[in-house]
DNA sequence: GTGAAAGCGCTAACAC
DNA sequence: GTGTTAGCGCTTTCAC
């Protein structure tokens, strides 16, 4: 049987409220009393019961984190960073996985709502209006989706997509495909919009293929369409799809980058390990995880500042892109860091 | 303000205890009353407060999951499977990361102890005696470590290591290196023990290198030692290290598998995507996650059956292993499934 | 089958 | 600075 506040009170000869204060408002307790209480608590192995505390304060010191797919390598660095940031502030994180299914997101948020102080919604597939509705039931921070009136953390994928298209264009590619992400993904829409306009500006054709599952298989599945489309370069929604696509293209007898150049997005750890090494747009996922936790916890202090932060992305040129058939402009934006909005200094990539 | 049991009682004209029963013991409530209460609850958006429930029942319906490194690709499939299995049984999972640091594991277990019904300790680096001590404070299921008297889920890595060494031996390799894992890892010791005996049985030399960080960098770092050791084949503690090692060997001008064969362990998703594709020992991580959750939740029913389950592993032969200088025996165990102990049928790999 | 009452472990006014 | 008191939302005896 674990020790309660009453055991500590008895042993240290004070009232339970003094014990309570020792833990929740130490400055209100005489230093001497405090150390005696602390000693007894230590000795009894006492730990405040968070459920009891939550019942009365209304704060659970728990955070919910909902991701589309834990096993998608994009998420673990985000989860890890969020967990670490939360723990540092004495919060614990419930991690849940929606299996890329928009319809379970709502249930998950509601199921979590009662036992957390807020929910980090990462890459939600549900509608904006539903998100807004849920935000009235539990504090929400939305990651990977822009939404007015709510605190959000997004990567500047528009800038990233532009850098990628410009890079391909600079290499002489004029017929480019965009392999889109899943339905309901804000990021995918954003990439599409930005890639379109960048392609137009560069006098290139952009063929959009999708929506698709944002997985390796999803990428592999479109290889044939890519070949049929007759493009010489591809921008994929994420690295996993890019890698699957390269796999698929290879199976179709296409060489990357000699026949087709491929660019991914995210710069997951994996992208440095495949052959050819993937050219990709790096997104600061760990920073996003930390920022999201900070925003959620700051939220309580001042309800009116619903900050929206945009984290910068950058193009990482590796081996999956090469010269295309068109004229090369050597204004190659390789390695150039995208401009970003908002206060990102403290969330620099590790 | 969220609806409480009292709101529902008022609206449906019954006493709060009837509402309580409707949710926690529905069979004790008149069918008609029940449906009326349910309707009101639905209408008010009532959800039982778990903290309040936990306070009185002592069961939180939460589980803690402690892993060495969320971002290590070995863990996400395990986390995902555990989370899914738990949620299906109406449990939520706190995920925490120790950063491969044995000293934080203890704190983490204790911090979690009060707000969970049990903890899944995955790949613990702490001592056996400390694990036993903690198991007296909170129900524990230990994954990736054998420990008498506690419920455990392990992969049969001994069998896996034997298959790997036999495979290399069959290919004619007689000078083999084992790249060990981190200090404190039961799995690493197990692999070592088994690889040693398999090598001896096959008249091969086994050089052990380590301990090492179980990461890509850790693998890359030993490439030079491998070359100096003059071995023709390597078994690595895990795929990540194997991949890093291949990277490092390539940088040293060695070809894989022509000059050196490399075998990994785990069969993470990544191992199919690198070039050469990795020969490896597949461990059923998702099954382990499910099994661990089941064992923890079953634990309550019958305290005396501290089951220990061992999940079978199998060798997956891909492209990172090839013929060595010695005589080939064509008794190649490729694809053969290892024998396993315990009841594993219901945890078959997905 | 339902109501009444007690209390899980803790915090938050409010006295003193 | 510390004790007293009244619950937080719920489950669980025990009556009826």
């Amino acid at each position: 049987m674990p020790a309660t506040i009453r055991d500590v009170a008895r042993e240290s000869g004070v009232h339970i409220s003094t014990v309570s204060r020792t833990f929740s408002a130490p400055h209100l307790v005489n230093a001497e009393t405090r150390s005696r209480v602390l000693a007894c608590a230590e000795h009894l192995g006492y730990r405040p019961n968070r459920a009891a505390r939550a019942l009365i304060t209304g704060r659970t010191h728990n955070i919910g984190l909902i991701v589309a797919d834990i096993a998608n390598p994009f998420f673990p660095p985000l989860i890890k960073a969020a967990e670490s940031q939360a723990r540092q502030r004495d919060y614990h994180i419930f991690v849940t996985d929606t299996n890329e299914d928009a319809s379970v997101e709502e249930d998950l948020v509601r199921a979590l709502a009662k036992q957390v102080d807020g929910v980090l919604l990462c890459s939600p597939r549900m509608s904006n209006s539903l998100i807004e509705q849920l935000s009235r039931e539990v504090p929400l921070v939305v990651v990977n989706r822009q939404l007015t009136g709510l605190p959000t953390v997004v990567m500047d994928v528009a800038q990233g997509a532009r850098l990628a298209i410009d890079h391909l264009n600079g290499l002489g590619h004029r017929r480019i495909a965009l392999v889109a992400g899943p339905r309901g993904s804000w990021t995918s829409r954003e990439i599409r919009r930005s890639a379109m306009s960048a392609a137009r500006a560069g006098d290139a054709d952009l063929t959009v293929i999708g929506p698709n599952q944002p997985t390796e298989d999803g990428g592999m599945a479109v290889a044939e369409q890519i070949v049929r489309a007759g493009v010489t370069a591809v921008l994929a929604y994420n690295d996993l799809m890019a890698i699957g696509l390269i796999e698929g293209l290879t199976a179709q007898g296409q060489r990357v980058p000699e026949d087709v150049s491929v660019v991914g997005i995210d710069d997951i750890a994996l992208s440095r390990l495949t052959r050819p090494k993937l050219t990709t747009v790096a997104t600061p996922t760990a920073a996003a995880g930390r920022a999201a936790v900070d925003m959620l916890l700051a939220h309580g202090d001042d309800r009116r500042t619903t900050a929206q932060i945009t984290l910068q992305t950058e193009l990482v040129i590796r081996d999956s892109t090469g010269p295309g058939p068109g004229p090369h402009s050597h204004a190659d934006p390789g390695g150039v860091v995208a401009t970003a909005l908002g206060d990102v200094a403290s969330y620099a990539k590790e």
Side-chain angles (χ1 to χ4, degrees), chain A:
Chain A
M1 216 48 207
T4 80
I5 203 171
R6 249 174 280 273
D7 300 323
V8 180
R10 197 178 317 114
E11 176 134 343
S12 52
V14 296
H15 195 266
I16 59 161
S17 52
T18 302
V19 178
S20 172
R21 282 187 202 103
T22 304
F23 288 92
S24 48
H27 57 281
L28 294 178
V29 168
N30 180 299
E32 208 172 295
T33 318
R34 195 195 317 153
S35 60
R36 184 154 40 90
V37 171
L38 251 18
C40 293
E42 168 87 50
H43 168 238
L44 293 170
Y46 168 76
R47 295 230 171 195
N49 180 324
R50 291 188 159 203
R53 185 180 277 184
L55 199 52
I56 190 156
T57 61
R59 325 212 67 230
T60 60
H61 267 244
N62 293 154
I63 295 175
L65 174 60
I66 301 183
V67 300
D69 179 8
I70 295 172
N72 177 330
F74 173 80
F75 290 108
L78 192 155
I79 299 171
K80 185 180 171 104
E83 194 272 325
S84 155
Q85 187 80 352
R87 185 144 41 85
Q88 211 169 293
R89 297 160 175 274
D90 196 27
Y91 276 73
H92 289 297
I93 290 199
F94 285 116
V95 178
T96 50
D97 181 304
T98 66
N99 269 313
E100 289 282 351
D101 183 346
S103 66
V104 311
E105 289 183 332
E106 180 180 357
D107 262 4
L108 243 33
V109 173
R110 291 230 166 79
L112 242 29
K114 275 298 192 339
Q115 53 183 336
V116 298
D117 295 338
V119 173
L120 270 30
L121 211 54
C122 299
S123 311
R125 305 279 182 251
M126 61 175 127
S127 70
N128 281 358
S129 59
L130 185 50
I131 294 178
E132 275 154 15
Q133 185 188 322
L134 290 172
S135 79
R136 265 170 252 126
E137 303 175 28
V138 58
L140 243 43
V141 171
V142 179
V143 181
N144 285 333
R145 183 155 185 159
Q146 196 91 61
L147 210 65
T148 55
L150 280 184
T152 59
V153 179
V154 298
M155 324 284 194
D156 196 348
V157 283
Q159 171 75 327
R162 181 152 20 103
L163 291 172
I165 297 293
D166 287 354
H167 166 61
L168 294 171
N169 211 289
L171 287 167
H173 295 280
R174 290 297 175 272
R175 308 199 57 191
I176 305 176
L178 173 65
V179 177
R183 192 181 306 284
S185 160
W186 175 87
T187 299
S188 188
R189 288 196 302 277
E190 198 67 1
I191 291 168
R192 178 186 178 140
R193 185 181 60 68
S194 175
M196 285 281 215
S197 99
R200 204 176 308 119
D203 260 332
D205 260 14
L206 190 81
T207 311
V208 179
I209 297 177
N212 307 286
Q213 274 297 99
T215 58
E216 193 206 332
D217 287 345
M220 188 134 33
V222 297
E224 208 190 317
Q225 284 179 72
I226 294 291
V227 175
R228 253 192 282 116
V231 300
T232 61
V234 185
L235 172 61
Y237 169 71
N238 69 17
D239 289 349
L240 223 42
M241 300 189 74
I243 290 163
L245 174 60
I246 292 175
E247 192 91 341
L249 288 172
T250 306
Q252 304 259 326
Q254 301 282 310
R255 293 162 306 158
V256 176
E258 292 80 357
D259 301 324
V260 183
S261 286
V262 175
V263 181
I265 298 181
D266 288 346
D267 194 26
I268 59 179
L270 178 50
S271 61
R272 277 194 322 278
L273 298 172
T274 52
R275 288 296 114 79
K277 294 182 183 177
L278 195 63
T279 294
T280 186
V281 175
T283 56
T285 47
R290 283 191 293 274
V293 168
D294 282 351
M295 289 176 76
L296 188 63
L297 299 187
H299 205 259
D301 303 345
D302 183 353
R303 268 288 187 159
R304 273 150 314 194
T305 53
T306 49
Q308 315 228 118
I309 112 168
T310 302
L311 298 168
Q312 60 190 345
T313 58
E314 63 188 278
L315 184 66
V316 180
I317 299 177
R318 298 206 182 94
D319 310 330
S320 65
T321 48
H328 301 208
S329 121
H330 274 286
D332 186 334
V336 169
V337 168
T339 41
L341 311 165
D343 169 20
V344 300
S346 51
Y347 299 112
K349 235 188 147 186
E350 321 196 78

